[in-house]
Amino acid sequence: MNELYGKLFNKALEGDTDCGGLMAFNYVSGEPVTGLQEGRPMFVRSAGDKFNLANFMRAHLYGAIGVLKIGNDILLKEEKIKVDRITGHGGYFKTPGVGQRMLAAALNSPISVMETAGEGGAWGIALLAGYAVNNPDKLSLADYLEQVVFAGNTGTSIAPTPEDVAGFEKYIENYKRCLPIEQCAVASKQ
């Protein structure tokens, strides 16, 4: 199964940076940042879109981080939150370089991924629990991450390319325009 996912993830790198117009929503539950109380996993295309396996895969990888992009735009652009670095971890980053490149394009920021990136799960929650319970020196969260969680872990960093950033921006604008389709799917399929 890992080999199959690796091949499909790598195929996404061959897709158009805007996914050829294809659109994927991975909603299973609601996404408050997009105003949806419920959601339906869904793939959308029109007759003029470039429908091929590479664009299909890229659209699904982009769709997995669409809401993250919208939420981060609110934090970074509207709320003026500053971020020192972004480190990815979990199954999205299991195939080296692919998810990392997609997220770098989405957030227009270098993305670091540790060698330990794997299946993911509730890693962030476990990390915060470890910080709360296993922090006898009362380190700040930033120091705990640097000195305990990421200490000695090596990884890679990928910076976004201007082409990937422009492609993701085009994709996310289409994603937002298509949100009424997602709302209609919820209303039609109870």
Side-chain angles (χ1 to χ4, degrees):
M1 193 62 128
N2 286 340
E3 183 180 342
L4 175 62
Y5 275 103
K7 286 182 185 214
L8 291 172
F9 268 53
N10 279 305
K11 189 68 175 175
L13 295 176
E14 299 172 20
D16 297 317
T17 58
D18 68 349
C19 306
L22 305 181
M23 184 62 40
F25 294 94
N26 69 338
Y27 291 97
V28 176
S29 61
E31 295 293 352
V33 75
T34 59
L36 298 172
Q37 299 306 312
E38 289 184 66
R40 302 291 182 266
M42 178 169 59
F43 173 73
V44 179
R45 72 185 261 302
S46 65
D49 293 338
K50 291 173 67 180
F51 187 28
N52 57 43
L53 181 59
N55 284 335
F56 180 78
M57 289 309 303
R58 193 174 192 119
H60 278 82
L61 291 176
Y62 275 13
I65 55 176
V67 172
L68 176 69
K69 162 68 172 163
I70 293 167
N72 269 278
D73 281 352
I74 292 168
L75 290 174
L76 301 174
K77 295 176 182 176
E78 296 176 26
E79 300 294 330
K80 308 290 185 219
I81 302 297
K82 301 290 183 209
V83 175
D84 295 332
R85 76 173 186 214
I86 300 173
T87 302
H89 201 277
Y92 191 77
F93 304 103
K94 192 168 185 172
T95 301
V98 179
Q100 196 173 0
R101 181 172 161 188
M102 303 296 160
L103 188 58
L107 302 182
N108 193 15
S109 173
I111 304 296
S112 297
V113 173
M114 299 181 309
E115 287 178 348
T116 57
E119 292 303 320
W123 187 73
I125 298 300
L127 184 143
L128 290 174
Y131 166 72
V133 175
N134 301 318
N135 187 6
D137 297 329
K138 304 284 186 227
L139 298 171
S140 69
L141 180 57
D143 288 341
Y144 181 82
L145 291 172
E146 192 69 37
Q147 296 173 28
V148 178
V149 176
F150 300 124
N153 285 312
T154 59
T156 61
S157 184
I158 291 180
T161 66
E163 299 81 19
D164 281 348
V165 171
F168 198 94
E169 285 298 326
K170 189 173 178 182
Y171 175 87
I172 203 66
E173 290 308 313
N174 193 25
Y175 184 97
K176 290 188 247 183
R177 277 192 306 276
C178 289
L179 284 171
I181 299 170
E182 181 70 19
Q183 291 171 328
C184 185
V186 170
S188 300
K189 178 76 171 136
Q190 295 295 332

